[in-house]
Every structure is written in C-alpha cells, then in structure tokens.
Amino acid sequence: MERRVWAFCQSREVRVSSPAIEILLVEDHPLVRLGLRTVIDAQPDMRVVGEAASADSAVTAAQELTPGLVILPLRLEGELRGVELCRELKSTRPAVRVLIYTSYNSAEDASASFLSGADSFVYKGEESARLLDTIRATAVGRRTWLLGVETQDQSARLAEAVERSGLTQREREVLGFVLQRFTNAQIANELFIELPTVKTHVRSILAKLGLRSRQELFSAPTHPQPNP
C-alpha cells in the first residue's frame, strides 16, 4: 500500500480579505520538502496546504486539497516522473498552476516540461527569492522560465520552430516523450496507442520541425520557450 504523506494545514487561518496562494509541495526528499515549506510558509501571501512524496499521492492531494499551485520536481521516486505527473495534473485539474522546480535544466528537460503543460520552470541553482517571485507570477498566470544562463540562451529558435510547426496536441505529447529519450515502444505504452501510430507521429513531428532524424533534434542547441 502506498504511503501517503500529504496532509491538511489545519493550524493556519486564511483571511478572506487577503487570500494566500495555496500550494501543494511534491518532493520525495523530506529535508528538501521541509526547507521549501519553511521558506514558503514564512511569506505572508503564501501557505503550503499539503505535501506529497509520490506521483500517486500528489494526484490524490491535488484532487482533495484543490491547491492553486503545485510545485514539483522532475525526478521523483528515483525516476524522471515529473513531466508525466504534470501532464496528469493538467488533464484532471486544468485550472491548477504547475511550477517545475528542479536541478535538471537541460534543453530536453525544459522542452519536455513545456510540452507537458507546465506553467513555470525554475532551476534550483537560482536564488530562493527568484523562486518566490516565480510562485507569485505563476499564481496570477504569468509564465516564468528560469533555466540558467546557458540553457536560457539556447531557447529562442526551437521555441519559434515549435510554435510555427503546427504540431497537434498529440504530437506535442509524443515530442515530450521523445525529448525524454523514450523509445517508440515506450511512448506507445505510455499513451496507450499502437506502435505504428507512434512512428507516424514521430515522422510528422520531425517533418514539421524540418529535421531528418531524432539525432538532429538532440543536437539542436535550443528548446521551447513559452511566451511571457
């Protein structure tokens, strides 16, 4: 049976005249989670309403606690599950904002997060003040992507290519998995579609992006950058 670690915050009162940003923390390292909670709860305009240490408990907590914003990492339970979790949260609760807070900031990680529907992305190398500013911006619908200087500089061209390409929603989903280096068979399993269908989607994605192979996709020094 899965251990559920999320919990209601019953000890705090929320002033109706000044509602705080209600946040669900998803993190499987207790000390990291404690550190984040301490910083966030020290802010007068934010409060942590729950915590989760796994993808399944995060989905349950999001449904029962209905937070305004979810902060989650890319790596969870020893695997890169953040992208899939973000996609599931967005499909079950479209109104929820999702902020990826991670130590992984490669072009592929940022691209996959963008395509999964993440609202903001903050590299853990950024100062905590920038995380807090991003939480506030995300809560009011302003997308913010802090990826580190080198990765940030790589973003513009592929972003434009993706936006101009006319990729369908399904193709964006498939591209997200391709950027995580999933095989066609793994993508078929994740999306519950046939392998030939995945191959067709991949061919269409590469053609629309003007690429001849997956290798060209990974060698391109860019990744999607959402509009502000």
Side-chain angles (χ1 to χ4, degrees), residues 185-216:
Q186 289 171 324
I187 296 172
N189 183 62
E190 290 290 333
L191 295 179
F192 303 102
I193 58 180
E194 297 295 328
L195 182 58
T197 302
V198 175
K199 292 179 178 179
T200 298
H201 284 317
V202 171
R203 284 195 298 269
S204 176
I205 290 165
L206 294 175
K208 288 180 178 181
L209 292 177
L211 302 173
R212 292 172 296 181
S213 68
R214 291 189 185 213
Q215 287 69 30
E216 285 193 2

Side-chain angles (χ1 to χ4, degrees), residues 157-173:
R157 289 193 298 274
L158 186 55
E160 294 173 358
V162 169
E163 293 306 317
R164 291 196 310 263
S165 65
L167 295 180
T168 66
Q169 182 57 41
R170 176 62 88 185
E171 287 171 344
R172 284 175 174 250
E173 290 176 349

Side-chain angles (χ1 to χ4, degrees), residues 1-6 28 33 53-54 57:
M1 182 179 295
E2 180 188 357
R3 180 171 61 89
R4 299 166 73 186
V5 303
W6 60 269
D28 57 0
R33 201 166 61 241
S54 70
S57 62

Side-chain angles (χ1 to χ4, degrees), residues 106-154:
S106 71
E108 292 80 20
D109 294 328
S111 298
S113 299
F114 172 67
L115 292 165
S116 73
D119 296 282
S120 294
F121 186 108
V122 179
Y123 174 50
K124 285 185 177 179
E126 299 286 349
E127 296 179 356
S128 59
R130 301 200 73 186
L131 170 63
L132 295 173
D133 288 343
T134 301
I135 290 173
R136 294 184 178 99
T138 306
V140 296
R142 294 200 304 270
R143 283 183 138 182
T144 303
W145 291 65
L146 304 176
L147 314 172
V149 175
E150 182 178 352
T151 309
Q152 188 80 38
D153 289 344
Q154 298 174 355

